[in-house]
Amino acid sequence: MLHRRRFLTTATRAMALGGAALLGARGAQSQPSYTVPLAQLQEMVGQKFPRSVPVQGLLDLTVQAPRLRLLPEVNRLGAVMAVDAAGPALRRSHAGSFDVEFALRYEASDRSLRAHQIRLGPLDFPTLRPAVTELLNAYGPVLAEQALREVTLHQLRPQDTAVFDGLGLQPGPITVTAKGLTVAFVRQQP
C-alpha cells in the first residue's frame, strides 16, 4: 500500500513536471498560450449571423456574417460587414456595407472570447439617397452595438485548457497575431 502511494505521488509529480516542461518548451521567456486560427474564428462567427436590427419601425437592417481580418498592429480584429436595408420607409431593399474594428475579452462564465470596444466605420449604401445614408450613420454606433454586442468569436472547451487548469492557470491577455488569436494563460487569482 505504501509503495502504491509513493508510486502515485511520484507519477503525479512527473505528470505535472512533464506538463510544465511541455509548456516551457515554447521558450523560457514566453507564457503558456492557446492559439485560435483566423479560419476557426470565421467559422464560429458565421454561425451567429445573419442578424436583424430594427430602426424605429421605419426599416430593418439585416447584417450578414462578417469577413474578419487580423489587425495585430493595434491588437484588434476588423471586419467588413454586408448589410441589407428594407422596410416601410424604403421602396425596395438596398445592399450596403460597413467596416468595424473591435477588441476582444474573455468571458469566464462560458469560457468564450467575445467582441467588445466596437468602432464602426461609416455605413455605405450606394443606392440610397445621401440623406437616408446620413440618418443611418447617425444611428450607426447604436446599430453596430446591437448587431455585434458580445458576439462570441470562440469558445474554449475543457479539453483545450485541461493542462493549463491542472497547473492552476487561467486565460489572461488576448493578443491578435498574424496567424490568429493567442490567449495567454496566467496564474489563477485567489
Side-chain angles (χ1 to χ4, degrees):
M1 182 81 156
L2 182 60
H3 291 342
R4 184 176 178 183
R5 240 185 266 160
R6 281 187 190 156
F7 172 76
L8 289 175
T9 302
T10 303
T12 303
R13 284 184 188 150
M15 286 182 2
L17 289 173
L22 176 71
L23 296 174
R26 293 177 157 262
Q29 300 287 331
S30 67
Q31 289 180 297
S33 62
Y34 173 85
T35 299
V36 185
L38 179 60
Q40 196 173 356
L41 294 170
Q42 187 68 57
E43 182 181 328
M44 179 74 158
V45 78
Q47 297 170 10
K48 310 293 183 192
F49 288 87
R51 288 188 172 195
S52 182
V53 181
V55 180
Q56 300 200 1
L58 299 173
L59 57 97
D60 288 319
L61 296 177
T62 303
V63 182
Q64 303 301 322
R67 287 189 323 263
L68 297 175
R69 66 184 182 279
L70 302 167
L71 304 170
E73 63 280 0
V74 291
N75 200 36
R76 295 171 68 84
L77 287 178
V80 174
M81 311 276 304
V83 61
D84 296 311
L90 304 174
R91 294 186 182 162
R92 62 183 180 88
S93 178
H94 296 269
S97 66
F98 62 96
D99 284 327
V100 65
E101 277 187 23
F102 51 91
L104 297 154
R105 72 175 191 82
Y106 176 71
E107 174 55 48
S109 67
D110 65 356
R111 303 179 83 137
S112 63
L113 306 180
R114 297 179 179 214
H116 82 124
Q117 296 178 350
I118 297 166
R119 292 185 199 147
L120 178 71
L123 291 151
D124 180 33
F125 287 94
T127 60
L128 276 177
R129 291 189 319 266
V132 176
T133 300
E134 283 179 37
L135 176 67
L136 288 174
N137 276 305
Y139 287 104
V142 173
L143 299 174
E145 183 66 26
Q146 287 178 10
L148 300 171
R149 180 183 322 135
E150 299 296 311
V151 168
T152 299
L153 291 148
H154 183 71
Q155 195 155 19
L156 299 170
R157 302 169 303 172
Q159 60 265 36
D160 296 333
T161 61
V163 171
F164 303 122
D165 294 340
L167 295 171
L169 301 174
Q170 66 185 13
I174 302 167
T175 305
V176 178
T177 70
K179 295 181 181 182
L181 303 180
T182 299
V183 181
F185 281 78
V186 297
R187 288 264 167 233
Q188 291 181 0
Q189 300 298 320

